[in-house]
Amino acid sequence: MSTTASDASSAPRPEDPLATLAALPGVPGTVESVRKAVDRVYGHRVMRRRGNEVTAEAALRAARGSAALSGADWALEEVRRRSDFGSDAEARTVGAALRLNAEAGQLLSVWSQSPLRVLARLHLVAAGGAGVSDRTVGRPRLAGESVVEAPGSGAAAPDGGASSSGAPSVGAPSSGESSVEEAPAQVPLAGTPLPDADEVAARLDGLARLVIATSAAPALVTAAVVHGELLALRPFGSYNGLVARAAERVVLIGSGLDPKSICPAEVGHAELGRAAYAAAFDGYLSGTPEGMAAWITHCGRAVELGVRESTAVCEALQRGAA
C-alpha cells in the first residue's frame, strides 16, 4: 500500500498489506485509543434504553459533517429543519450526505462480498436527483469524463485531489488523465491530474481484493485505507468525497467496531477542519510510511471526536435536554 507510482509495479507485496500498515509507528496506539473510546460510549447507560435515538442523531450529525467537508457547511439545525434538498448545489450536497448515511447500514452484507457493487450503489444514492447525466451515475468514470464534485456548482472540484506521482496504489501505477478546476470555496485540496480510467479500474479492483481478503488489520486501518484510496481515485463523476466517507462508515459498522453506528467519524473530520483533512490526506498520497501513519492517525482522531459527539448526545438525553 505504501509503494509510490514509480515502484508500485515491481515491488513485492506483503501477504497482508493492511496488517503492515497497522504496525507502522503510532498506529497501534491510535487503534487502542479508538477502541477504548468506542467501548466507553457503548457502555453509557443511555445506550441501553435509547440507543436508537443516539444512532439517529449520530447519522444526522455525520451527514452534516461530511457535507461540510464537501463545501456545504450548514448549521446542524438547518440540516434538521430543511426538507427541500434540491434547490441549489449546497442543498443537493447535504441531501446526498443524508441519503448516503441512511443507505450505508443497508449494504453491510454486500460489502464483504462485493465492495464495488456497494460503491456503485452509494454513488447512485448520492447522485439521485442531482441532475447529473444518467449514464455517469453508479459506475466509475470512463476515459475523458470529468469530475464535478457538486453538480450545479459551476466548477469542477476535487474533493480529495490525487497526485499522479505519489499516491499509494492498490492496482496499476498512476498516469494522470486530466486536470480539474479548483473550487476554493468547496474543498481546500489542490487541483491535480485525475488518475485515468484504466488506472481507476485497476486500483478499484485491487481495493476490492483487499477488502474481501482476510486481514489481521484493525477496522480503523481498513476504513482509513478505503477512505483514502477513494479520495485519491475520484472514481465517479461527482460526490467522491461523500462516497469515500460513507464507505469509511460502512467499514467501521460492518467490522463490528461501531455496529450501531454511533461513532460518526465525519463529525470528527469536520471538527478537525478541511485544512487538517487535506494535510493528512497529503500523507496518504505520499505513500511513505510516515504519511500513511499520519493519515490513519488522523482518521482515528476523527472517530474519537465522533465518539465525543455521541457521548454528549447521551448526556443530553440523560438530562432530558434532547
Side-chain angles (χ1 to χ4, degrees), residues 1-3 14 16-32 168 217-218 220-221 224-225 283-284 286-297:
M1 283 300 298
S2 60
T3 55
D16 190 349
L18 294 175
T20 300
L21 294 178
L24 290 174
V27 173
T30 296
V31 168
E32 179 62 19
L220 174 66
V221 174
V225 169
Y284 183 88
S286 76
T288 64
E290 296 80 8
M292 296 297 289
W295 171 248
I296 295 167
T297 298

Side-chain angles (χ1 to χ4, degrees), residues 22-307:
L24 290 174
V27 173
T30 296
V31 168
E32 179 62 19
S33 180
V34 167
R35 178 75 265 176
K36 289 179 178 178
V38 172
D39 286 346
R40 282 196 299 272
V41 72
Y42 269 85
H44 198 287
R45 62 192 305 175
V46 166
M47 286 299 300
R48 294 195 295 271
R49 297 176 288 108
R50 305 179 70 177
N52 289 341
E53 294 175 66
V54 180
T55 295
E57 188 64 22
L60 183 73
R61 295 176 186 225
R64 194 218 73 82
S66 191
L69 287 168
S70 285
D73 193 359
W74 289 11
L76 180 63
E77 290 311 311
E78 177 72 2
V79 177
R80 197 189 303 278
R81 75 170 184 82
R82 283 284 288 267
S83 58
D84 174 18
F85 295 101
S87 57
D88 55 47
E90 283 197 7
R92 287 193 289 272
T93 296
V94 174
L98 288 166
R99 290 193 299 273
L100 281 170
N101 276 13
E103 185 76 8
Q106 310 303 314
L107 301 171
L108 302 179
S109 62
V110 183
W111 175 258
S112 61
Q113 302 172 26
S114 183
L116 298 186
R117 282 179 57 197
V118 171
L119 294 176
R121 175 62 183 171
L122 290 174
H123 185 248
L124 183 66
V125 168
V132 297
S133 171
D134 286 346
R135 66 184 178 84
T136 68
V137 173
R139 63 152 174 81
R141 54 187 168 79
L142 303 179
E145 291 182 345
S146 62
V147 173
V148 180
E149 276 301 312
S153 64
D159 192 348
S163 168
S164 63
S165 61
S169 175
V170 295
S174 180
S175 57
E177 180 173 78
S178 60
S179 294
V180 289
E181 195 177 335
E182 175 70 7
Q186 291 197 28
V187 182
L189 303 179
T192 55
L194 285 167
D196 68 26
D198 288 341
E199 180 183 358
V200 168
R203 287 174 64 175
L204 281 177
D205 181 67
L207 182 63
R209 284 186 278 108
L210 276 181
V211 169
I212 293 170
T214 301
S215 174
L220 174 66
V221 174
T222 303
V225 169
V226 168
H227 182 172
E229 188 70 357
L230 292 173
L231 283 184
L233 292 180
R234 287 166 292 170
F236 301 109
S238 59
Y239 297 125
N240 289 289
L242 295 180
V243 169
R245 291 183 287 274
E248 178 185 49
R249 167 175 284 265
V250 168
V251 175
L252 294 173
I253 299 169
S255 66
L257 177 64
D258 182 22
K260 294 186 178 181
S261 192
I262 61 168
C263 306
E266 302 94 327
V267 169
H269 286 303
E271 184 172 338
L272 290 167
R274 285 184 279 176
Y277 189 62
F281 181 56
D282 280 344
Y284 183 88
L285 290 179
S286 76
T288 64
E290 296 80 8
M292 296 297 289
W295 171 248
I296 295 167
T297 298
H298 181 88
C299 290
R301 179 60 178 150
V303 174
E304 289 186 278
L305 289 172
V307 167

